[in-house]
């Protein structure tokens, strides 16, 4: 399969503290990758490097759809192809839900307002909140806000979608509605990289699960392989801890 | 009776009212132009401080610190009386607007910077992740949120600029204060000065009350 994200020798340090140690990872087009691991293991940092929300060492290389991820003119191109959904939604609170979804296609892709509005309504319908289009984010529940955030990312028609613990800030009764939207997405051919603590979701939806610890990829494999017969002691310890908490 | 005749002499007041009104107009012109110059300058400085290369940022910090430290009267006199020695000769109006605008821009830059910093970092990150340019991030996302926060301090600053326009009378600007002192000399009676003082209060007191209400309103929104 054609690789869409290729990460080579990724090193990231804060001062003398190295957060990511020489990570190599290739993600195929359309693949759904879940990243799991203990707190502080570098999961967020890893996916935030892919769209350069975090800079990284000069000897490292990340290529997205043939374009090197580096500060400069090409970065806008990369970011237009890579959507991101944050733990804390980060919707624009001063705009209606509809405007939130319309903004980037208009400003980055130069779309006309009517076309952007039509696309936004389509997407809001897809995530099941079309009736909230004229409300402001603050008037919505957490689960609804996160679904708007997913629609906002999708409006750019990204090739790759990054999720950083999209359900961790939600009340338990709203986790399901967001995971359902993500499951539907996983079948559409968009490449997804999902940092999550939802082991059920990872097992059901992921093509590949990556277990990180201490800034390294300790083990990766199909959900069945990783969850049912983990090879590494650290993976076993982590899974034991999260599955019987 | 004597006091009334001295300080609130109605005929003298009526006589001086036309020149006081002309002075008020000049005061308003200096004030409004200086406020606008300060707003534009301050916004540019605050945004440049965020995105410009390190050296420019250092220069902006230096600018802000210097112009917040220098007494406005000193700056005004330097602009009007010292700059001609290096061939820069500004009219009284231009001198007043230059001095007031330079200082107001420094204060305004700090106000905008605080407003921009009060917008959560997630807003910058969400904008970046969508591929928005720095300009669109500022115009569409950050500044509309910062503006709510900065309106009370900006109004306060505008009040200060309006008050400080009175200093322009030392560079022979026929503003409200200058007209009042001249009318006082002419009438040999201080009533025009009292009149000018009242006009300043009538002009600015509504703005002072507005700031108080805005601050109360925004604080209520916070809770
Ligand atoms: N700005 C920063 N400065 C210094 N250290 C940082 C910074 N951001 C993150 N770190 C450190 O980098 C390491 C990896 O952080 P990261 O957020 O990627 O972990 P994570 O796996 O996403 O954890 P969590 O599950 O808690 O979100 C942590 O030890 C964290 O303390
Ligand atoms: Mg994290």
């Amino acid at each position: 399969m054609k690789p869409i994200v290729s990460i080579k020798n990724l090193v990231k340090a804060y001062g003398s503290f190295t957060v990511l140690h020489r990570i190599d990872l290739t993600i195929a087009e359309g693949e759904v990758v879940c990243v799991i691991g203990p707190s502080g293991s570098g999961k967020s940092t890893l996916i935030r490097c892919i769209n350069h929300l975090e800079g990284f060492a000069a000897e490292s290389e990340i290529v997205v759809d043939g374009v090197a991820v580096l500060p400069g003119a090409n970065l806008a191109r990369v970011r237009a192809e890579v959507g991101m959904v944050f733990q804390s939604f980060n919707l624009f609170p001063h705009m209606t839900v509809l405007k939130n979804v319309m903004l980037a296609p208009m400003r980055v892709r130069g779309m006309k307002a009517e076309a952007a509005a039509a696309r936004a309504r389509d997407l809001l319908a897809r995530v099941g909140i079309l009736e909230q289009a004229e409300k402001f984010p603050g008037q919505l529940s957490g689960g609804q806000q996160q679904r708007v955030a997913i629609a906002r990312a999708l409006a750019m028609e990204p090739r790759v979608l990054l999720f950083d613990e999209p359900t961790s800030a939600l009340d338990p009764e709203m986790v399901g509605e967001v995971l359902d939207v993500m499951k539907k997405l996983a079948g559409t051919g968009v490449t997804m990289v999902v940092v999550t603590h939802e082991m059920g979701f990872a097992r059901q939806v992921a093509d590949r699960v990556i277990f990180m610890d201490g800034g390294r990829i300790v083990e990766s494999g199909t959900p069945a392989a990783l969850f049912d017969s983990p090879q590494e002691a650290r993976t076993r310890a982590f899974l034991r801890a999260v599955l019987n908490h | 009776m004597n006091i009334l005749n001295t300080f609130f002499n109605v005929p003298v007041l009526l006589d001086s009212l036309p020149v006081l009104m002309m002075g008020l107009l000049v005061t308003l012109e200096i004030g409004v132009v200086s406020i606008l110059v300060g707003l534009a300058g301050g916004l540019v400085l605050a945004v440049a401080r965020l995105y410009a290369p390190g050296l420019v940022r250092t220069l902006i910090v230096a600018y802000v610190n210097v112009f917040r430290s220098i007494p406005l009267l000193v700056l005004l006199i330097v602009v009007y009386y010292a700059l001609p020695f290096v061939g820069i000769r500004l009219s009284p109006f231009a001198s007043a607007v230059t001095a007031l605008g330079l200082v107001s821009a420094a204060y305004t830059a700090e106000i905008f910077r605080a407003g921009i910093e009060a917008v959560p970092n997630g807003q910058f990150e969400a904008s970046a992740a969508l591929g928005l340019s720095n300009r669109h991030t500022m115009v569409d996302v950050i500044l509309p949120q910062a503006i709510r926060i900065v309106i009370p301090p900006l109004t306060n600053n505008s009040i200060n600029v309006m008050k400080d326009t009175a200093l322009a009378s030392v560079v022979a600007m026929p503003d409200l204060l200058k007209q009042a002192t001249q009318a006082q000399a002419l009438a040999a009676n201080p009533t025009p000065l009292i009149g000018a003082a009242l006009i300043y209060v009538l002009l600015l007191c509504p703005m002072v009350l507005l700031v108080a209400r805005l601050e109360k309103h925004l604080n209520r929104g916070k809770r």
Side-chain angles (χ1 to χ4, degrees), chain A residues 43-44 164-165 195:
Chain A
K43 309 180 295 293
S44 298
D164 192 357
E165 301 196 30
V195 174

PDB file of all heavy atoms in Angstrom, chain A residues 43-44 164-165 195, ligand 2:
ATOM      1  N   LYS A  43       2.854  10.135  23.257  1.00  0.00           N
ATOM      2  CA  LYS A  43       1.838   9.910  22.225  1.00  0.00           C
ATOM      3  C   LYS A  43       1.406  11.217  21.569  1.00  0.00           C
ATOM      4  O   LYS A  43       1.383  11.343  20.342  1.00  0.00           O
ATOM      5  CB  LYS A  43       0.598   9.212  22.835  1.00  0.00           C
ATOM      6  CG  LYS A  43       0.906   7.970  23.642  1.00  0.00           C
ATOM      7  CD  LYS A  43      -0.344   7.331  24.219  1.00  0.00           C
ATOM      8  CE  LYS A  43      -1.070   8.194  25.244  1.00  0.00           C
ATOM      9  NZ  LYS A  43      -0.335   8.408  26.503  1.00  0.00           N
ATOM     10  N   SER A  44       1.039  12.199  22.405  1.00  0.00           N
ATOM     11  CA  SER A  44       0.614  13.486  21.845  1.00  0.00           C
ATOM     12  C   SER A  44       1.741  14.117  21.054  1.00  0.00           C
ATOM     13  O   SER A  44       1.538  14.625  19.948  1.00  0.00           O
ATOM     14  CB  SER A  44       0.199  14.447  22.966  1.00  0.00           C
ATOM     15  OG  SER A  44      -0.892  13.921  23.677  1.00  0.00           O
ATOM     16  N   ASP A 164      -6.207  13.449  19.143  1.00  0.00           N
ATOM     17  CA  ASP A 164      -5.461  13.352  20.398  1.00  0.00           C
ATOM     18  C   ASP A 164      -6.441  13.172  21.558  1.00  0.00           C
ATOM     19  O   ASP A 164      -7.003  14.142  22.056  1.00  0.00           O
ATOM     20  CB  ASP A 164      -4.593  14.597  20.613  1.00  0.00           C
ATOM     21  CG  ASP A 164      -3.590  14.390  21.745  1.00  0.00           C
ATOM     22  OD1 ASP A 164      -3.624  13.313  22.380  1.00  0.00           O
ATOM     23  OD2 ASP A 164      -2.770  15.298  21.981  1.00  0.00           O
ATOM     24  N   GLU A 165      -6.651  11.936  21.939  1.00  0.00           N
ATOM     25  CA  GLU A 165      -7.590  11.602  23.023  1.00  0.00           C
ATOM     26  C   GLU A 165      -8.916  12.345  22.886  1.00  0.00           C
ATOM     27  O   GLU A 165      -9.311  13.117  23.760  1.00  0.00           O
ATOM     28  CB  GLU A 165      -6.964  11.917  24.382  1.00  0.00           C
ATOM     29  CG  GLU A 165      -5.676  11.135  24.601  1.00  0.00           C
ATOM     30  CD  GLU A 165      -5.265  11.122  26.062  1.00  0.00           C
ATOM     31  OE1 GLU A 165      -6.164  11.190  26.918  1.00  0.00           O
ATOM     32  OE2 GLU A 165      -4.058  11.033  26.321  1.00  0.00           O
ATOM     33  N   VAL A 195      -4.776   8.772  19.074  1.00  0.00           N
ATOM     34  CA  VAL A 195      -4.267   8.525  20.426  1.00  0.00           C
ATOM     35  C   VAL A 195      -5.479   8.320  21.316  1.00  0.00           C
ATOM     36  O   VAL A 195      -6.378   9.165  21.339  1.00  0.00           O
ATOM     37  CB  VAL A 195      -3.439   9.719  20.932  1.00  0.00           C
ATOM     38  CG1 VAL A 195      -3.043   9.495  22.384  1.00  0.00           C
ATOM     39  CG2 VAL A 195      -2.221   9.941  20.054  1.00  0.00           C
TER      40      VAL A 195
HETATM   41 MG1  LIG C   2      -1.320  13.348  25.427  1.00  0.00          MG
END
